[in-house]
Amino acid sequence: MSTLDDRLDALAGQLAPLPGVLVAFSGGVDSGVVLAAAVRALGAERVVAATAVSPSLPASERGPAVEFAASLGVRHELPRTDELSREGYRANAGDRCAFCKTELVDVLTPLAARLGIADVVTGTNADDVAAGFRPGIRAAADRGAWAPLARVGMTKDDVRAAARLWDLPLADKPAAACLASRIAYGVPVSAEGLARVEAAEAGLRAALAGAGLVVRDLRVRDLGRDTARVEVDAALVTDLVARPELLDAVAGFETVEVDPRGFRSGSMNELLPDPVRYR
């Protein structure tokens, strides 16, 4: 059975032969480890980070992403993507992520070409692939982007362990999926809807902090019909239910409910009537 060191060696082996690489850097730990691994294998001068800017990216994510890329000494591009121009993305069926990733790779590939770089890589890890419900992964691969972590079998735990080993500030950063992941499938995605969710999450996080409740994972899910479902760390659910006035911070929705099961990554997939269709 391979060790973390073995997988990190394999990761370096995937990256070292490349003349250069452009990393689709979301600001999260997965793509952050890919970016750091690329710098270790190639040197900062042969690595470019690219963080897409659009209404789907929480504004609070951009600054830390810029700081992290700067700490590695790599060139950092902030290209604009326009996934909202794609009808399939706005329609928000179970394959929404495929349209988002197609837009991303369609923007990053010519950017890489202008910089003389042939390889565009993502932070998809082995757990992402095993999860089964990932239309975006397939779309990115179809457009020519590839996933070094997944190729060498690195799981999410491996990624966080590597980040700690390398003293990366992203090591314990909570998952931060795009804002569209907060909107229930079938509810059309719009810039206004994305902004409403972003503001609601920021408001609730501030209210929780003011009440002395430290939250790690928090989501405000737009279920449609002006209804929001709040997910927080399971250990905080009882405290939040006992303080219903804190939910006043979730502005813009007529009805706000608390999910008793707490935060679950990908919980919107549970609401799909036919999830197998999108596997």
Side-chain angles (χ1 to χ4, degrees):
M1 185 174 180
S2 64
T3 65
L4 176 62
D5 285 342
D6 293 332
R7 289 187 284 277
L8 290 176
D9 286 344
L11 180 61
Q14 292 282 322
L15 297 167
L18 305 178
V21 66
L22 185 144
V23 179
F25 176 48
S26 67
V29 63
D30 296 315
S31 55
V33 164
V34 173
L35 188 59
V39 170
R40 285 170 167 262
L42 298 170
E45 68 282 356
R46 292 162 60 191
V47 178
V48 175
T51 303
V53 176
S54 79
S56 300
L57 176 73
S60 60
E61 293 291 314
R62 197 178 310 161
V66 170
E67 290 176 8
F68 180 77
S71 74
L72 296 178
V74 300
R75 176 169 178 166
H76 191 196
E77 297 287 332
L78 295 162
R80 293 199 169 272
T81 56
D82 189 15
E83 50 269 29
L84 283 167
S85 69
R86 296 183 181 258
E87 182 179 351
Y89 180 84
R90 297 194 307 274
N92 196 21
D95 58 351
R96 180 199 66 240
C97 289
F99 296 96
C100 182
K101 284 296 189 292
T102 296
E103 171 70 11
L104 175 65
V105 179
D106 281 356
V107 168
L108 297 190
T109 299
L111 170 61
R114 289 195 297 273
L115 297 173
I117 296 173
D119 288 271
V120 175
V121 300
T122 72
T124 297
N125 64 53
D127 286 339
D128 294 331
V129 174
F133 186 83
R134 299 286 181 173
I137 293 174
R138 184 170 60 249
D142 287 347
R143 307 302 286 186
W146 57 282
L149 299 174
R151 281 195 181 183
V152 302
M154 286 187 66
T155 65
K156 189 72 171 189
D157 286 344
D158 290 332
V159 169
R160 291 202 185 276
R164 294 186 190 103
L165 181 67
W166 295 342
D167 292 323
L168 302 181
L170 300 174
D172 295 309
K173 183 181 178 183
C178 80
L179 290 169
S181 69
R182 277 75 152 168
I183 299 176
Y185 294 115
V187 176
V189 176
S190 66
E192 294 77 17
L194 296 170
R196 177 169 71 161
V197 167
E198 182 176 13
E201 286 191 1
L204 181 57
R205 190 174 289 276
L208 289 169
L213 299 174
V214 179
V215 62
R216 174 179 171 84
D217 288 303
L218 183 157
R219 297 287 187 272
V220 173
R221 310 287 194 186
D222 182 349
L223 303 184
R225 301 177 305 281
D226 244 0
T227 298
R229 185 183 71 197
V230 172
E231 296 177 15
V232 294
D233 307 320
L236 285 182
V237 169
T238 300
D239 292 324
L240 181 55
V241 170
R243 301 279 302 275
E245 72 278 5
L246 294 174
L247 297 178
D248 292 341
V250 182
F253 294 89
E254 287 186 7
T255 303
V256 181
E257 59 189 45
V258 178
D259 192 318
R261 295 166 293 179
F263 168 77
R264 297 172 322 289
S265 181
S267 65
M268 286 306 203
N269 298 340
E270 300 166 5
L271 303 180
L272 275 171
D274 184 19
V276 175
R277 173 184 173 189
Y278 301 105
R279 293 189 189 280

